[in-house]
């Protein structure tokens, strides 16, 4: 019998008596006491990160494991106008666009992430940008030129076309100039993802109209699989005609969701040999929650909310991963499940659960991380992820899963 890959959840189930502990008097966020604990954690860990762990930050230049992950944190964390420029300048210290190779196309693990961040920061700083930061229009051209390796890239989020699509949408979200990234450019990326999905579905003789593979497997999860790709396409829906959404995206989504285990969890891939084990953002129920919630908001069908809530129960029961506190395959990433459910439902239960999982991460109790991360100072594998989660919980209605939710 395979040993469990998670710790038993000993947190109390939510009850109305617990509400004052997690919500402030206005009922729109966490308690003042927990807010203070989070801020102390952030301040303490940022100091450790930028002193004792500084050399680890620069292991590479990506958002996922490298210095651009800390840049994304600083970019996203500032919520006050007075400190905005200072945060952007801090972010720039962790962006290196001079050594990009132009081989990897995605936001998280490729060149598109540092470039997209540099573009938006250059635009936001305007005349106050440093001399060594090019004008945002020059950087936009570099980002758009990455389309030259589109056909040689996989389709998934971490390394592929879906990750490039996120970078383009990210830039257009934060720059108010119309068509900063032209619609025609984004539509080419969407078309390439569609065409790949159609061709592979036809090759597999599948009932699913869009099907993608990565490393010879049909992955289902957010990082490498269909959940991540479909979620990105739905976020780009203004660039997709309604007929394609109706005829390809929605039936592909429904087919994917039909693969759900009776437990409420999802396989990591088609005919998965790992069975019903993994409950983490990259593989399993947590990565399906934002997809189902967005589908619920777009299509207005209760079945999608029901599946999202089922996934939430799976994460509550089995989401305290023994792998540690990371965003990709740990408890911090799983905590975003409850952040997202709270944002849509406004039910205090989900806010409480988000607080519980965040406490697990910030307490860092001995024995609760069985696998030391390869990149301990990174956003998706290490400490920056927990800091990012703590910051997001302070402003839960504006929280976004980094590099995934716009």
């Amino acid at each position: 019998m395979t040993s469990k890959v998670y710790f038993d959840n000993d947190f109390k189930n939510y009850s109305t008596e617990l509400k004052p502990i997690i919500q402030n008097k206005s009922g729109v966020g966490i308690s003042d006491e927990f807010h203070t604990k989070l801020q102390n954690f952030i301040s303490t860990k940022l100091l450790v990160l930028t002193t004792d762990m500084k050399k680890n930050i620069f292991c590479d230049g990506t958002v996922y494991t490298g210095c651009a992950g800390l840049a994304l944190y600083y970019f996203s964390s500032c919520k006050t106008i007075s400190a905005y420029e200072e945060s952007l300048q801090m972010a720039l210290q962790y962006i290196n666009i001079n050594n990009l190779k132009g081989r990897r196309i995605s936001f998280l693990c490729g060149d598109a992430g540092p470039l997209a961040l540099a573009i938006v920061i250059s635009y936001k700083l305007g005349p106050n940008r440093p001399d060594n930061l090019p004008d945002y229009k020059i950087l936009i051209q570099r980002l758009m030129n990455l389309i030259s390796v589109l056909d040689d890239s996989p389709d998934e989020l971490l390394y592929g076309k879906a990750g490039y699509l996120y970078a383009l949408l990210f830039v257009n979200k934060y720059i108010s100039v119309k068509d900063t990234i032209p619609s025609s450019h984004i539509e080419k990326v969407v078309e390439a993802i569609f065409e790949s999905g159609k061709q592979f579905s036809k090759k597999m003789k599948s009932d699913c109209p869009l099907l993608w593979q990565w490393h010879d497997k049909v992955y289902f999860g957010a990082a490498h699989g269909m959940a991540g790709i479909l979620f990105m396409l739905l976020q780009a829906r203004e660039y997709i005609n309604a007929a394609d959404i109706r005829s390809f995206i929605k039936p592909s989504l429904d087919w994917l969701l039909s693969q759900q285990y009776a437990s409420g969890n999802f396989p990591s891939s088609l005919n998965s040999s790992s069975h019903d084990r993994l409950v983490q953002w990259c593989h399993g129920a947590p990565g399906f929650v934002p997809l189902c919630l967005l589908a619920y908001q777009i299509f207005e069908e209760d079945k999608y909310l029901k599946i999202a809530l089922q996934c939430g129960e799976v994460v509550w029961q089995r989401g305290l991963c023994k792998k540690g506190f990371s965003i990709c395959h740990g408890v911090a990433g799983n905590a975003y499940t409850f952040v997202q459910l709270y944002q849509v439902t406004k039910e205090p239960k989900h806010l409480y659960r988000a607080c519980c999982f965040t406490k697990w991460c910030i307490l860092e109790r001995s024995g609760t991380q069985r696998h030391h991360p390869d990149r301990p100072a990174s956003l998706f594998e290490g400490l920056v992820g927990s800091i990012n989660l703590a910051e997001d919980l302070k402003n839960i209605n504006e929280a976004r899963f980094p590099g995934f939710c716009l």
Side-chain angles (χ1 to χ4, degrees), residues 71-307:
L72 180 59
Y73 163 75
Y74 279 116
F75 173 81
S76 304
S77 64
C78 184
K79 303 297 190 294
T80 60
I81 295 174
S82 59
Y84 192 62
E85 184 170 324
E86 181 182 353
S87 291
L88 296 183
Q89 296 285 3
M90 285 292 293
L92 280 179
Q93 297 180 38
Y94 300 99
I95 296 174
N96 184 347
I97 56 173
N98 297 321
N99 297 324
L100 302 179
K101 306 296 184 183
R103 295 172 189 160
R104 285 187 173 173
I105 200 170
S106 70
F107 184 89
L108 289 176
C109 295
D111 291 4
L115 280 172
L117 281 165
I119 288 165
V120 176
I121 292 172
S122 177
Y123 170 77
K124 297 287 186 184
L125 289 177
N128 295 327
R129 64 182 170 83
D131 293 339
N132 63 345
L133 180 64
D135 181 80
Y136 81 98
K137 293 179 181 177
I138 295 172
L139 294 172
I140 282 173
Q141 194 56 55
R142 286 185 63 182
L143 179 64
M144 291 178 61
N145 288 345
L146 286 176
I147 203 167
S148 64
V149 294
L150 188 72
D151 291 341
D152 297 322
S153 301
D155 299 291
E156 46 83 85
L157 181 76
L158 253 60
Y159 300 103
K161 299 181 185 74
Y164 184 50
L165 178 57
Y166 177 87
L168 303 176
L169 298 175
F170 178 91
V171 169
N172 274 1
K173 174 182 178 179
Y174 287 106
I175 295 184
S176 55
V177 180
K178 182 176 172 57
D179 280 345
T180 298
I181 304 292
S183 298
S184 58
H185 189 84
I186 297 176
E187 287 165 2
K188 286 179 184 177
V189 179
V190 169
E191 184 179 348
I193 296 172
F194 258 81
E195 190 59 31
S196 179
K198 290 176 185 176
Q199 288 183 5
F200 189 64
S201 172
K202 186 176 181 180
K203 179 180 177 181
M204 295 291 287
K205 299 179 181 179
S206 173
D207 294 332
C208 183
L210 297 172
L211 208 63
W212 299 274
Q213 66 171 334
W214 188 74
H215 285 195
D216 300 321
K217 284 187 178 182
V218 178
Y219 279 95
F220 288 162
H224 301 298
M226 293 181 66
I229 297 169
L230 290 171
F231 181 59
M232 215 50 61
L233 290 174
L234 286 179
Q235 289 187 103
R237 60 193 178 279
E238 67 178 279
Y239 303 97
I240 306 171
N241 67 59
D244 283 341
I245 292 175
R246 184 173 59 252
S247 301
F248 290 95
I249 294 181
K250 191 174 186 299
S252 298
L253 168 65
D254 291 339
W255 179 89
L256 175 63
L257 298 180
S258 74
Q259 308 301 309
Q260 187 179 28
Y261 288 127
S263 69
N265 196 24
F266 281 88
S268 60
S269 61
L270 186 64
N271 303 317
S272 172
S273 59
S274 64
H275 306 295
D276 188 359
R277 293 182 72 244
L278 302 177
V279 180
Q280 51 201 48
W281 172 76
C282 50
H283 299 294
F288 284 77
V289 171
L291 171 64
C292 291
L293 290 174
L294 184 56
Y296 168 66
Q297 293 170 311
I298 294 171
F299 302 119
E300 299 181 332
E301 294 183 20
D302 289 342
K303 66 180 182 180
Y304 298 120
L305 178 60
K306 181 181 177 182
I307 294 173

